[in-house]
Amino acid sequence: MQFGVKLLVLVSLHSAVAINWKNNACHNIFSYYFSAISRNCYENDDVRPNDLPSISKRHGYDTETFTLTTGDGYELHLYRMSSTKSQTTKIPLFVLHGIAVDVESWVDIGNRSLAFNLVDGGYDVWVGTLRGTIDSNKHKTLTVNDPEYWNFNLDTITNEDLRIQLEFVANATQEKAVIVAHSMGCTLSFMFGSEYPDRASQLIKGMVALAPVVYLDDVPFTTSALLWAMPLIQIFKALNIKGLLYHEKLVHSFETHVCKLLPNLCYFLVSTASGKTKQFAPEDLLLFTSYWPSGVSVYQLEHFLQISKDHKFQKYDYGTHKNKEIYGTENPPVYNLTNVQFPVSLFYGTHDVLFLQKNIDRLFNELGSSQKYKISVPRNAGPEYGYSHIDFLWSKNLRKFLYDDVFEKLDLIINDSGCQDSKDSEVSEDSKGTRNSEDSKGPEDSEDSEYFEG
């Protein structure tokens, strides 16, 4: 009799608490500690490392993969996305990721993913990749384990990776593409437009820049990094260590396991690396760690730090002697942003760890385009809810707070309208972009999710 009662109790408990050790996404941060039994947690197949075609297929999208070889021997994957649910009726978009991020960041949050929304909007979506990431880590004669593989900086990537992909898209579609870029993807695009204005006019119809990184003057994050990261980079170079974080599967697996056990610690690290956020959704935590960080060259990092230190948007500084040999001058040349003539929309977040208003204003004022905008995201909430650096890729209400504005600016580029003078564009967007009223309210949480408060 007692045995029967105990058995009944066990069966009842099992029915009340279903155990699933595969749960890897939770609607609030606390539930990760009990993810196997919490009703606030579930299993998300996208958390496990997948490539872009696999994720896209699982969500009903088709992908065509092209392999391009740069002039210096790097093999890059370029993806063209489509869907049977929508017809491609609009111009090509070239979507480019940022530093230390895999290309899967464009498709890893299900129907909130920007690439999927662009395809559904009828655009011909081409997703670019960059050398050193897991999607494009092959070379004709080198491997990622060879220090020589990592001998590249931002100038190199611009001249080789960005150029060859833009030219391929233009040849395949017989149209100019609109660039949709995040972070370093914006850096490279502005470098290309500045250095090759004639070629840019043939390949680029316009640009949507998400969390653009160009000027880093007096940014606390990079200013402090100059004190410790720059000496560390010099040590790495002396030890012939030129590539970092490129054993991505191992890094991501370790990171994801740790974050499942210590989610608060991981969120702290996310905020430290990208900025305080009230937009990042808890269920995206392990998605983020599944695809971040990605392989990066020490020369890329050093190049950004040089830009921060010298307060100039410039080419890589090799030192006085080698600069004279390569550039003909003791100092590296500065990129002339007035050469950027295509339409540009700058989307920035006030909680971005790399943001200072004066740097966005400087970039905006120096751009040569007659059709340019700067938009603080989100526009319909108080500044305390401003986006961090990664919120442009991982946050809950992307359609409401970002995508509507992105699609609006894409339509302006396509229709060649909105060509008011740049000062009017600035005033118009800023008046809607920053609201300082004490009555301003933050974004509404979805019913099934909480936002990190940081």
Side-chain angles (χ1 to χ4, degrees):
M1 180 68 178
Q2 290 181 343
F3 175 78
V5 171
K6 291 180 179 179
L7 181 62
L8 181 61
V9 170
L10 287 173
V11 171
S12 299
L13 286 173
H14 180 73
S15 299
V17 182
I19 298 177
N20 185 356
W21 298 105
K22 295 182 179 180
N23 284 348
N24 52 25
C26 300
H27 295 307
N28 60 68
I29 188 68
F30 182 74
S31 294
Y32 276 100
Y33 292 105
F34 311 98
S35 60
I37 59 174
S38 175
R39 291 180 176 179
N40 289 319
C41 301
Y42 59 95
E43 182 180 0
N44 184 349
D45 288 334
D46 291 336
V47 167
R48 295 172 187 81
N50 292 278
D51 58 18
L52 183 143
S54 299
I55 299 174
S56 300
K57 184 177 181 180
R58 182 158 52 247
H59 291 280
Y61 297 84
D62 299 319
T63 307
E64 190 175 1
T65 304
F66 302 90
T67 301
L68 313 181
T69 303
T70 65
D72 52 355
Y74 291 81
E75 296 180 2
L76 311 176
H77 281 159
L78 175 62
Y79 302 105
R80 189 180 199 178
M81 298 181 60
S82 60
S83 172
T84 56
K85 297 181 294 184
S86 59
Q87 286 187 330
T88 301
T89 58
K90 299 180 180 178
I91 64 173
L93 303 182
F94 178 71
V95 183
L96 189 62
H97 63 82
I99 192 169
V101 179
D102 286 334
V103 71
E104 286 73 26
S105 59
W106 296 114
V107 297
D108 67 353
I109 55 172
N111 60 11
R112 287 180 291 135
S113 301
L114 180 55
F116 295 158
N117 279 264
L118 293 173
V119 173
D120 291 342
Y123 288 98
D124 183 8
V125 177
W126 296 73
V127 183
T129 64
L130 300 173
R131 63 184 65 191
T133 63
I134 197 169
D135 293 87
S136 295
N137 60 7
K138 299 291 190 297
H139 189 277
K140 290 174 66 176
T141 60
L142 302 170
T143 74
V144 290
N145 296 314
D146 296 318
E148 295 80 7
Y149 175 94
W150 300 97
N151 282 339
F152 56 82
N153 53 48
L154 301 178
D155 306 324
T156 320
I157 304 173
T158 299
N159 297 338
E160 295 287 345
D161 298 16
L162 181 56
R163 176 197 285 270
I164 194 174
Q165 292 179 89
L166 286 174
E167 289 178 344
F168 187 91
V169 172
N171 289 333
T173 64
Q174 295 299 300
E175 290 187 87
K176 294 190 287 187
V178 176
I179 296 177
V180 179
H182 177 251
S183 185
M184 184 185 71
C186 304
T187 313
L188 304 175
S189 301
F190 287 129
M191 286 180 170
F192 187 84
S194 300
E195 185 74 358
Y196 308 106
D198 293 338
R199 194 69 179 120
S201 68
Q202 299 169 341
L203 300 174
I204 303 171
K205 188 172 180 64
M207 180 180 175
V208 170
L210 308 177
V213 180
V214 172
Y215 290 115
L216 296 167
D217 304 7
D218 304 319
V219 172
F221 183 84
T222 55
T223 301
S224 62
L226 284 168
L227 300 176
W228 61 269
M230 190 66 92
L232 186 59
I233 287 173
Q234 303 312 313
I235 293 173
F236 284 146
K237 288 162 64 176
L239 296 174
N240 210 26
I241 299 173
K242 299 180 180 180
L244 304 174
L245 305 170
Y246 55 87
H247 295 294
E248 295 176 348
K249 291 183 179 179
L250 179 62
V251 172
H252 295 162
S253 177
F254 173 78
E255 188 180 13
T256 301
H257 279 92
V258 170
C259 290
K260 193 171 183 180
L261 295 173
L262 301 170
N264 284 98
L265 172 62
C266 283
Y267 174 68
F268 170 77
L269 296 175
V270 168
S271 293
T272 301
S274 66
K276 184 179 179 181
T277 174
K278 292 192 175 183
Q279 305 289 347
F280 191 85
E283 54 262 52
D284 290 343
L285 180 62
L286 300 189
L287 277 171
F288 176 72
T289 60
S290 293
Y291 303 103
W292 181 92
S294 188
V296 62
S297 167
V298 296
Y299 297 109
Q300 288 174 266
L301 301 176
E302 186 179 29
H303 198 163
F304 275 119
L305 291 176
Q306 291 173 354
I307 290 171
S308 176
K309 177 176 66 72
D310 295 338
H311 293 193
K312 297 176 182 178
F313 189 46
Q314 62 187 26
K315 295 189 176 184
Y316 182 82
D317 190 347
Y318 293 92
T320 303
H321 177 73
K322 195 169 182 180
N323 283 344
K324 290 190 71 173
E325 180 183 326
I326 295 176
Y327 305 128
T329 57
E330 293 185 353
N331 297 313
V334 173
Y335 283 103
N336 184 2
L337 287 165
T338 60
N339 287 337
V340 177
Q341 296 292 319
F342 48 78
V344 177
S345 293
L346 305 174
F347 289 84
Y348 64 94
T350 55
H351 284 180
D352 187 336
V353 72
L354 299 177
F355 166 80
L356 275 184
Q357 187 66 53
K358 70 173 186 177
N359 292 333
I360 282 289
D361 293 344
R362 181 181 176 188
L363 168 60
F364 180 88
N365 292 331
E366 290 184 10
L367 289 171
S369 174
S370 60
Q371 183 184 346
K372 54 185 178 180
Y373 306 87
K374 55 178 179 176
I375 306 100
S376 177
V377 183
R379 291 198 301 177
N380 50 354
E384 68 272 20
Y385 290 96
Y387 267 32
S388 75
H389 200 67
I390 65 168
D391 286 341
F392 291 87
L393 299 176
W394 292 278
S395 58
K396 192 65 181 177
N397 292 313
L398 281 163
R399 287 188 182 128
K400 179 179 179 181
F401 295 124
L402 178 63
Y403 293 171
D404 286 349
D405 287 323
V406 167
F407 275 90
E408 175 188 322
K409 293 298 178 273
L410 287 173
D411 286 341
L412 288 176
I413 294 172
I414 292 172
N415 298 324
D416 289 322
S417 60
C419 294
Q420 53 190 310
D421 67 67
S422 60
K423 184 176 180 180
D424 289 342
S425 300
E426 175 184 6
V427 172
S428 172
E429 295 303 334
D430 278 357
S431 65
K432 292 183 285 184
T434 303
R435 202 175 66 197
N436 295 314
S437 169
E438 293 181 359
D439 295 331
S440 297
K441 296 182 180 180
E444 297 177 359
D445 294 347
S446 64
E447 296 179 359
D448 61 349
S449 177
E450 298 176 4
Y451 285 88
F452 286 129
E453 293 297 327

